[in-house]
């Protein structure tokens, strides 16, 4: 997305995930952290979950977090939200957000472009109840932690929608919308490194909280 004054989503998200990587490395030891990109490069949607899935090993779990900045035809909408995969969107706003994010396939090379059709829908339906449950837990953990860090803009809650980038994930997977690039007040903050760090720390807090909750659940069996 491109916002006011030519502000670009891809630059903001790259800054946020760099801060997120740094925050997690300080707060959790011994857990590998991988970025699907570390510079201004384009990674096709299907490749992003493939990169994540390729890191899985026997008895090694993982999570997949896709970070974005939202946009709207209305310049009055602001706030942050977290999504997990579902073919039944929470509401029309969730459906529109998924459509916006999914449109990035127009940037993919035509020769390499993956066909998003019946197979992907079947795979999405085959996603286990347990992974969907864990994705919902991860989304709520991240959204709650962000809400504690970000007070300037409203929490829009946890929602569900059908995002291509989350399809096929073999681990808990969420998509974080950190704010609206089309809202003048929020766009000003999204440009600030201090706000980007607050967002990153909120996501990190949520991830750590989820890991602790997940480990408690495993040890309880």
């Amino acid at each position: 997305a491109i916002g006011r004054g030519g502000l670009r989503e891809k630059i903001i998200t790259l800054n946020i995930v760099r801060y997120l990587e740094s925050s997690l490395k300080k707060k959790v030891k011994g857990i590998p952290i991988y970025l699907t990109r570390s510079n201004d490069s384009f990674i096709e949607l299907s490749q992003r979950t493939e990169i994540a899935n390729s890191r899985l090993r026997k008895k090694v779990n993982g999570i997949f977090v896709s970070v974005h900045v939202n946009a709207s035809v209305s310049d009055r909408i602001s706030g942050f939200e977290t999504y997990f995969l579902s073919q039944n969107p929470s509401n029309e706003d969730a459906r529109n957000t998924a459509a916006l994010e999914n449109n990035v396939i127009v940037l993919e090379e035509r020769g390499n472009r993956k066909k998003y059709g019946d197979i992907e829908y079947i795979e999405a339906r085959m996603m286990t109840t347990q992974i969907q449950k864990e994705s919902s837990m991860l989304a709520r953990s991240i959204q709650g932690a962000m809400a504690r860090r970000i007070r300037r803009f409203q929490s829009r809650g946890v929602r569900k929608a059908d995002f291509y980038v989350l399809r096929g994930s073999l681990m808990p997977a969420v998509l974080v919308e950190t704010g609206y690039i089309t809202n003048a007040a929020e766009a000003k903050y999204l440009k600030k490194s201090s706000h980007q760090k607050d967002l990153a720390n909120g996501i990190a807090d949520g991830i750590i909280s989820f890991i602790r909750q997940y480990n408690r659940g495993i040890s309880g069996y």
Side-chain angles (χ1 to χ4, degrees):
I2 300 177
R4 290 171 171 268
L7 184 62
R8 292 179 179 268
E9 174 188 15
K10 65 176 184 175
I11 303 302
I12 297 169
T13 54
L14 183 57
N15 288 341
I16 291 172
V17 296
R18 282 172 171 165
Y19 290 133
L20 174 58
E21 180 186 33
S22 176
S23 179
L24 285 172
K25 283 183 175 179
K26 290 176 183 176
K27 295 175 179 180
V28 291
K29 304 297 182 182
I31 296 180
I33 300 160
Y34 304 100
L35 305 184
T36 53
R37 70 180 178 105
S38 56
N39 53 34
D40 186 11
S41 58
F42 176 70
I43 309 295
E44 294 183 0
L45 291 176
S46 61
Q47 288 182 317
R48 302 178 197 185
T49 44
E50 288 173 5
I51 291 170
N53 289 339
S54 71
R55 302 294 182 180
L56 289 175
R57 298 291 182 270
K58 187 176 181 180
K59 296 184 180 180
V60 175
N61 296 320
I63 63 172
F64 177 69
V65 179
S66 188
V67 179
H68 297 259
V69 178
N70 216 334
S72 173
V73 293
S74 171
D75 60 7
R76 292 180 294 178
I77 298 177
S78 64
F80 52 93
E81 54 204 356
T82 308
Y83 287 85
F84 63 97
L85 181 66
S86 173
Q87 288 186 284
N88 300 306
S90 299
N91 53 30
E92 193 61 31
D93 284 345
R95 189 187 306 277
N96 291 338
T97 296
L100 176 68
E101 299 296 356
N102 292 343
N103 274 340
V104 77
I105 62 171
V106 301
L107 299 177
E108 298 181 1
E109 294 291 336
R110 288 188 180 275
N112 298 328
R113 188 178 297 175
K114 185 175 179 179
K115 302 298 183 183
Y116 297 98
D118 293 340
I119 293 176
E120 280 68 34
Y121 280 105
I122 293 170
E123 287 178 345
R125 287 181 181 274
M126 288 175 63
M127 185 174 69
T128 67
T129 302
Q130 185 63 24
I131 289 179
Q132 191 166 27
K133 178 182 176 182
E134 291 169 1
S135 296
S136 173
M137 286 170 52
L138 176 59
R140 294 181 190 286
S141 184
I142 289 176
Q143 187 67 19
M146 289 176 66
R148 289 189 287 274
R149 290 271 186 176
I150 307 297
R151 300 297 180 88
R152 306 174 192 93
F153 303 99
Q154 68 169 337
S155 167
R156 293 172 58 85
V158 171
R159 303 186 181 195
K160 54 184 180 177
D162 187 15
F163 290 95
Y164 289 149
V165 75
L166 299 181
R167 289 183 187 176
S169 175
L170 300 177
M171 65 197 77
V174 300
L175 185 146
V176 181
E177 293 284 5
T178 56
Y180 278 80
I181 203 170
T182 44
N183 178 275
E186 197 159 30
K188 288 180 181 178
Y189 273 93
L190 286 168
K191 288 192 295 185
K192 295 181 179 181
S193 60
S194 58
H195 188 66
Q196 292 169 2
K197 288 178 182 177
D198 285 342
L199 288 164
N201 283 320
I203 297 170
D205 291 345
I207 289 172
I208 294 166
S209 177
F210 169 79
I211 291 172
R212 290 172 179 165
Q213 184 180 4
Y214 181 87
N215 288 339
R216 284 197 300 269
I218 292 296
S219 63
Y221 290 125

